[in-house]
Amino acid sequence: EAGVVQSPRYKIIEKKQPVAFWCNPISGHNTLYWYLQNLGQGPELLIRYENEEAVDDSQLPKDRFSAERLKGVDSTLKIQPAELGDSAVYLCASSHGGEQYFGPGTRLTVT
Amino acid sequence: GQQLNQSPQSMFIQEGEDVSMNCTSSSIFNTWLWYKQDPGEGPVLLIALYKAGELTSNGRLTAQFGITRKDSFLNISASIPSDVGIYFCAGQLAGAGSYQLTFGKGTKLSVIP
């Protein structure tokens, strides 16, 4: 069974530029999560989807971050415009009513 | 955001030694999870604990869900070089449709051959 797929794996952009990350969850997993992981820290939840509905986005900085999961499968997380402090690893995870399984993450560097 | 207290932050051990790390919280959780993260990869689930007092093993790994539901520990026996990585504990409070995970800051394990 394929795991959670994320792309790109690495992204380097200049500040004020937009950036987007893509996630394909494990087949059949209706719950999808986006996490932010800063260096030396554990992951922190940004947003959680149940199918296509965002049910917990309280930690998402909505002035510059947005996410969508239009058909309840793949998801995209966008930052516009990016700031230096957004440099981090963005992790996607999925679950089916229980344990969460993580993708490899996208390492974002904002210069 | 809220994080768990995980200790130690890092440890250096000789190959073959046993390892113990733990996680404590001021809040109770219904589930405790232990993940391992290798450089450049996402966390990989090692063990999941669902019941207070539960002791679960996965190969050389053993984890326990504390009786108070506010702590958990992970033991690794007879460490080998591939055990190197960062180990995260995570607490999950499932209820009212919420499955949010709260992570510790991780324990970085180095194994000296």
Side-chain angles (χ1 to χ4, degrees), chain A residues 29-86:
Chain A
H29 283 195
N30 54 320
T31 308
L32 183 146
Y33 313 76
W34 283 102
Y35 286 85
L36 165 70
Q37 186 176 25
N38 287 306
L39 189 64
Q41 303 290 320
E44 296 183 46
L45 182 69
L46 289 173
I47 188 168
R48 176 171 68 95
Y49 282 92
E50 293 290 344
N51 298 304
E52 67 275 8
E53 182 181 0
V55 295
D56 184 357
D57 63 355
S58 57
Q59 302 302 314
L60 190 72
K62 299 182 183 60
D63 56 336
R64 297 183 300 106
F65 286 65
S66 64
E68 60 183 17
R69 193 184 185 199
L70 294 176
K71 296 184 179 180
V73 180
D74 296 2
S75 177
T76 303
L77 177 68
K78 298 178 181 177
I79 308 175
Q80 182 171 11
E83 298 179 352
L84 294 176
D86 295 332

Side-chain angles (χ1 to χ4, degrees), chain B residues 33-83:
Chain B
L33 303 158
W34 285 91
Y35 288 86
K36 177 175 183 267
Q37 188 173 27
D38 292 327
E41 299 296 328
V44 174
L45 182 65
L46 299 174
I47 291 181
L49 303 157
Y50 300 104
K51 187 177 177 182
E54 179 182 356
L55 185 71
T56 296
S57 294
N58 178 9
R60 294 179 296 106
L61 277 60
T62 301
Q64 185 159 28
F65 192 144
I67 291 291
T68 65
R69 294 168 61 194
K70 292 183 178 181
D71 63 311
S72 178
F73 72 75
L74 175 70
N75 286 343
I76 305 173
S77 62
S79 59
I80 59 178
S82 63
D83 291 334

Side-chain angles (χ1 to χ4, degrees), chain B residues 1-7 21-34 64-73 89-93 100-105:
Chain B
Q2 177 189 3
Q3 292 207 332
L4 305 175
N5 296 314
Q6 189 171 347
S7 65
M21 59 191 78
N22 68 80
C23 212
T24 60
S25 171
S26 57
S27 305
I28 61 172
F29 291 106
N30 293 339
T31 301
W32 281 93
L33 303 158
W34 285 91
Q64 185 159 28
F65 192 144
I67 291 291
T68 65
R69 294 168 61 194
K70 292 183 178 181
D71 63 311
S72 178
F73 72 75
C89 62
Q92 186 175 54
L93 184 61
Q100 182 170 345
L101 284 180
T102 301
F103 281 85
K105 292 188 177 183

